[in-house]
Amino acid sequence: MDLMVILNIVILLALIGLLVYMQRKHVSFSKRVFTGLGLGVLLGAALQWIYGSGSEIVAMTTDWFNIVGRGYINFLMMIVVPLVMVSIIQAITNLEKTAQLGKMAGWIIGILITTTMVAALIGVGAAAIFDLNAEEITVGQAEQDRAASLEERYSTQVEGVSTPQRILNFIPSNIFFDMTGQRSTSVIAVVIFSIFVGIAVLGVRRKNPEQAEMFTKIVNAIYAVVMRIVTLVLRLTPYGILALMANMIASTDFAGILELGKFVLASYVALGVMFILHLVLVGVFGLNPINYLKKVLPVLTFAFTSRSSAGTIPLNISAQKNALGVEQGVANMSASFGATMGQNGCAGIYPAMLAVMIAPSVGIDPFSLEFLVQLVLIIGISSFGIAGVGGGATFAALIVLSSMGLPVGLAGLLISIEAFIDMGRTALNVNGSMVSGTLTSRILGNFNTKVFNDKTAIEEAKSL
C-alpha cells in the first residue's frame, strides 16, 4: 500500500478519535454530527488540493474511507426492514379503529404527492428563470456513454411498463424477497405486508384476545430490541458523516460543476425555494419553523452526505418521534412512504427541470399550458415507487421523459454533476417526508406540542 494512503488513513483515524473523545466528554449529538461534517469537508478539501480528484492515491484513500462511510450506510440499511415492519405492526395494534389507519395513510400520501407536484412547478420556474437548454451543454465521451446507458436502462426497465403495472409492483408477491430490498418498491411492499399483519391482529383481538395479547407482547419485545439496535447504529452517525463528506469532497469534479454551473445554481435555487415552502407549511400549521429546522438538521445532514432516503429512515423516525413530537405510527409511516414516493427533489424538481431543458430539442414549447399540465400530472403519478437510494432521480427522469415523448438519453448530459445535485435532492426528499409526518400528526390531533417546543428534546437525546 502507498505510504501516502496509509498516512491519510491515520489522519482519518485521528479525527475519529477526536469525535470519540467528544462523546466521552458528553458533547451533544448534534454538535458531534456537525463537527464530523466540518472535519470531513476539511479532510476532503485537503486530499483534493494535494492530490487532485482523479489521482490514484485519492481513489485508494476513498476506498478505505468507505469502510467507515458506506459501512455506516450499510448498517442503517440493515435495520430499515425490521424497523419499518415492527414499527408499523406495533403502531396499528395500538389503534382503536382501523379507520384511523386510512386517515393517517391518506393524509401522508396526499401531502407527499401534492408537495411533489408543487416541486415540479418550482423546477419548471427555475429552468425558465435560468434559461436552461440541453443544447447548450457540451457533450463529451462520458456524456455519450451515460446517454447510451440510460437508453439501455429505459429499454429494459421502463419501456412497456404502464403506470398500472408500476402500481401493481407495490403489492408483494414474496415478502421474504422484498425483505432483502431487491426492488425499488421493496419498502412499500414491506409496509403493505405490515399493515395487513397489524389489521389481522386487530381482528384476532376481537375473537381471541389472549392470542392477540401474546402476539402483541412478542412484537413489543422485538420492537424494544430493534430500537436498541437503532440507537447503537445511530451512535456511529458522526463518524459516518465524517468519512462520507471527506470522500465526497475529495472525489468531486469541481471543474465539471463550474462548467455546468448554471444548472447547479438553478437546481439548488429550486431546492432552496421548496425547502422554504416546507418551513412555511410548518408555520401555517401553528408550529415554529426555526424550532423545526434546528431539530431536523442532524437528519438532513446525514441525508445530504449519504444520498440515501431509505438509509435515513431510522434517523427520520427517531427525530420525528423524539424531537418533533409526531405520533409514533405517523412517524413510522411517513418515513417509510417518503422514502419511496412523493420525493420532492428526485421525483419532482429534477424530472421537471430536465423536461423543460430537453423539450425544445424536439420542437416542443415547454411552457405551453398543455405541456405543463401533462408534466405535473405525470410527475405526481410516477413519483410512486422511486427507489430511496442514489440513482432514484435518474429512474424518475426516465419515466417522466419517456411518458412525455422526450429523448431519455439527453438526461446523461449531467453525469459530471449528478452526485453533487443528488445530495441536495435527497435532503429535500427526507425533509418532505418529515413535514408530511408533522402535518399529518397535527391534523389528526395526536401531535405532542410539548415535545416540539422542548428545546432539549432533540434527536440526540440521552442515549446518543
Side-chain angles (χ1 to χ4, degrees):
M1 190 191 299
D2 192 289
L3 183 62
M4 298 310 295
V5 175
I6 295 175
L7 177 62
N8 296 335
I9 295 171
V10 170
I11 293 172
L12 177 69
L13 293 175
L15 296 178
I16 289 174
L18 175 61
L19 293 172
V20 171
Y21 175 78
M22 292 175 67
Q23 181 178 3
R24 289 180 177 172
K25 288 297 181 180
H26 305 292
V27 176
S28 72
F29 178 73
S30 59
K31 287 181 181 177
R32 284 184 279 126
V33 166
F34 288 114
T35 300
L37 176 69
L39 292 174
V41 170
L42 292 176
L43 178 57
L47 292 173
Q48 168 101 226
W49 179 64
I50 295 170
Y51 306 109
S53 61
S55 75
E56 187 177 344
I57 291 178
V58 168
M60 293 174 64
T61 298
T62 54
D63 201 28
W64 281 97
F65 283 12
N66 272 334
I67 295 176
V68 179
R70 303 305 304 181
Y72 172 61
I73 293 177
N74 288 347
F75 276 131
L76 283 169
M77 295 300 294
M78 171 188 75
I79 58 175
V80 165
V81 168
L83 175 62
V84 168
M85 180 174 284
V86 179
S87 297
I88 288 181
I89 292 173
Q90 190 199 50
I92 293 174
T93 56
N94 290 335
L95 294 176
E96 295 178 7
K97 298 178 181 177
T98 53
Q100 293 175 288
L101 178 63
K103 287 182 181 178
M104 184 193 305
W107 277 110
I108 290 171
I109 294 173
I111 292 171
L112 285 171
I113 302 305
T114 302
T115 52
T116 299
M117 294 169 79
V118 171
L121 291 174
I122 290 175
V124 169
I129 291 170
F130 285 86
D131 192 26
L132 300 181
N133 193 316
E135 295 174 344
E136 296 177 355
I137 301 175
T138 304
V139 180
Q141 186 59 47
E143 285 75 17
Q144 290 176 0
D145 292 344
R146 177 63 168 171
S149 172
L150 289 178
E151 287 170 354
E152 181 182 351
R153 185 176 177 184
Y154 166 70
S155 63
T156 56
Q157 297 182 23
V158 179
E159 191 175 22
V161 181
S162 65
T163 299
Q165 288 174 322
R166 279 196 289 271
I167 294 174
L168 185 62
N169 285 336
F170 299 158
I171 302 174
S173 58
N174 184 342
I175 191 59
F176 297 103
F177 179 75
D178 282 315
M179 285 180 185
T180 64
Q182 295 298 307
R183 302 190 300 152
S184 63
T185 55
S186 283
V187 174
I188 292 184
V190 171
V191 169
I192 291 173
F193 176 78
S194 303
I195 289 173
F196 269 95
V197 173
I199 293 173
V201 173
L202 294 179
V204 172
R205 184 178 290 164
R206 289 192 293 269
K207 297 181 179 179
N208 298 294
E210 292 181 3
Q211 292 179 354
E213 184 64 26
M214 183 185 300
F215 182 85
T216 302
K217 285 182 179 179
I218 293 172
V219 170
N220 289 339
I222 295 174
Y223 179 79
V225 173
V226 169
M227 289 310 297
R228 185 58 188 166
I229 296 173
V230 170
T231 300
L232 293 173
V233 173
L234 293 190
R235 285 178 178 173
L236 303 174
T237 302
Y239 319 117
I241 284 180
L242 164 64
L244 287 167
M245 184 54 74
N247 274 2
M248 188 278 294
I249 296 292
S251 57
T252 295
D253 178 13
F254 286 103
I257 290 175
L258 290 175
E259 187 177 330
L260 294 171
K262 191 163 73 165
F263 184 84
V264 173
L265 181 60
S267 297
Y268 272 92
V269 166
L271 293 170
V273 170
M274 192 62 205
F275 189 79
I276 291 171
L277 184 58
H278 284 170
L279 296 182
V280 170
L281 283 172
V282 169
V284 167
F285 278 78
L287 301 172
N288 187 328
I290 304 301
N291 195 27
Y292 168 87
L293 183 59
K294 289 178 180 177
K295 297 195 171 200
V296 302
L297 265 180
V299 183
L300 299 184
T301 300
F302 172 73
F304 184 84
T305 54
S306 69
R307 298 171 53 208
S308 174
S309 299
T312 312
I313 287 176
L315 273 167
N316 190 334
I317 292 175
S318 180
Q320 286 195 57
K321 189 174 66 171
N322 299 328
L324 295 176
V326 176
E327 193 271 332
Q328 179 181 316
V330 176
N332 296 333
M333 198 168 288
S334 62
S336 304
F337 281 166
T340 47
M341 67 171 67
Q343 296 184 355
N344 292 184
C346 289
I349 289 174
Y350 185 64
M353 291 182 72
L354 283 182
V356 171
M357 286 175 62
I358 293 171
S361 68
V362 291
I364 297 174
D365 178 9
F367 304 110
S368 67
L369 183 60
E370 181 184 355
F371 180 88
L372 292 176
V373 170
Q374 185 183 2
L375 177 64
V376 171
L377 289 177
I378 287 175
I379 283 176
I381 295 169
S382 65
S383 66
F384 286 86
I386 301 302
V389 293
T394 302
F395 187 70
L398 289 177
I399 295 173
V400 172
L401 293 178
S402 61
S403 300
M404 297 293 293
L406 301 174
V408 297
L410 290 177
L413 297 175
L414 305 171
I415 182 175
S416 61
I417 57 170
E418 193 170 290
F420 184 70
I421 296 175
D422 197 41
M423 293 189 297
R425 292 192 306 239
T426 306
L428 184 67
N429 296 341
V430 172
N431 194 60
S433 75
M434 299 178 83
V435 167
S436 73
T438 301
L439 300 189
T440 298
S441 189
R442 189 79 165 158
I443 291 167
L444 297 179
N446 51 29
F447 186 81
N448 192 327
T449 309
K450 185 178 179 182
V451 170
F452 181 85
N453 292 328
D454 182 1
K455 294 182 180 178
T456 62
I458 300 183
E459 191 276 324
E460 62 242 43
K462 308 139 189 175
S463 57
L464 297 177

